[in-house]
Amino acid sequence: MTKILVVDDEADLEVLVKQKFRRKIREQEYEFVFAANGVEALDQLEKHTDVDVVLSDINMPEMDGLTLLSKLAETHAILKSVIISAYGDMENIRIAMNRGAFDFITKPVDFKDLEITLEKTIKQVSQMRETLRAIKENNILKMYVDETVLNFMGAREFESAITANETIEATVAFLDICGFTSISENEAPDTVVTLLNNYFDVMAKEIIAQNGYVDKFIGDAIMAVFHGDYHLDRAIDACLAVRNKIRELPQVNEHVSYQPNVSIGINSGEMISGNIGSSSLRRLDYTVIGDSVNIAQRLQAAAAPGQVLIGENSYEKIKEFFKCRKIGEIEMKNKSKPMVSYEVIE
């Protein structure tokens, strides 16, 4: 239902409007609210925040229609106003349009013309509301979906390529906040969530600074992906920065002697990048999968608090640029042979 505010000091206009639009009112397409001048109109808008269209005369006591237009432009940007006046000279029309009027109708009113004008005005308001809703949804979407995913959606015919994937060379890092679950034993849930979000914010900033992206949050851990030039080097730089930043954070409070720390696993290699999930349910996750990803997660599971672990293949690529220490062989789930691992020191 469209709500329309009619502003006019002629008392018989209310009766006339109700008669001419009785079918629209009966079928609940239109609902009319009335005011005798601009002051009353502003009061009505305070009470009826869902008004879509204002039909206003110009010559009225207390506040005229042109002054009302200026007030509406300041506080009710989405509203569309149509001036209905016997003063249809060019000067008044220009003033009205410059102050934000959507259209101008002269008296005596041609109600057929008014109905067409209303339909046009309502359509315009509807489009504006839809645009604002889309902007709001897009801003919310950006909080939940990484920019890489949004770029993927905008770079191709998304619906036809919704389950498309590609093989890429990239680096994956798993960063886990060590022992975080112990905090929940002594802290309220909202405190735990706030604290976790603060830690994640510190971690995500360092990942983004190295042109990586957060693939997902997994409980109290982050899965991050780096691709492009020097992706392994950038991933290690980001993870070392995360480790150092987290170490600098204070313990929770005087009641909980928890000092935040992270364990990190990094691996580089080929992986499949694309949408994983059910297109029929329209529930998909843009991510990377493959053996290289699994190895990064196993390295993180083997890492001690404060450790950044990499495999031998990654070590051979970066050994001249980072100080590393050989840890030795690590048994990995579903791997027939243990993997030689290295700790990145700095």
Side-chain angles (χ1 to χ4, degrees), residues 214-226:
V214 175
D215 184 276
K216 59 175 66 70
F217 297 98
I218 312 167
D220 52 12
I222 287 178
M223 174 182 168
V225 181
F226 300 78

Side-chain angles (χ1 to χ4, degrees), residues 171-175 222-226 235 239 264-267 296 300:
T171 297
V172 175
F174 284 86
L175 307 89
I222 287 178
M223 174 182 168
V225 181
F226 300 78
C239 290
I264 300 171
I266 303 172
N267 192 50
Q300 180 276 310

Side-chain angles (χ1 to χ4, degrees), residues 77-90:
I78 298 178
L79 284 180
K80 289 296 178 184
S81 302
V82 176
I83 293 295
I84 303 175
S85 175
Y87 299 94
D89 56 276
M90 186 54 66

Side-chain angles (χ1 to χ4, degrees), residues 246-290:
I246 292 293
R247 279 177 172 175
E248 293 171 0
L249 296 176
Q251 68 177 42
V252 179
N253 55 43
E254 65 274 13
H255 306 296
V256 181
S257 59
Y258 175 77
Q259 183 66 44
N261 211 337
V262 288
S263 60
I264 300 171
I266 303 172
N267 192 50
S268 181
E270 277 194 353
M271 55 198 72
I272 304 298
S273 172
N275 284 302
I276 308 299
S278 170
S279 56
S280 59
L281 289 176
R282 306 190 71 79
R283 293 292 299 274
L284 299 167
D285 186 16
Y286 182 79
T287 188
V288 291
I289 60 171

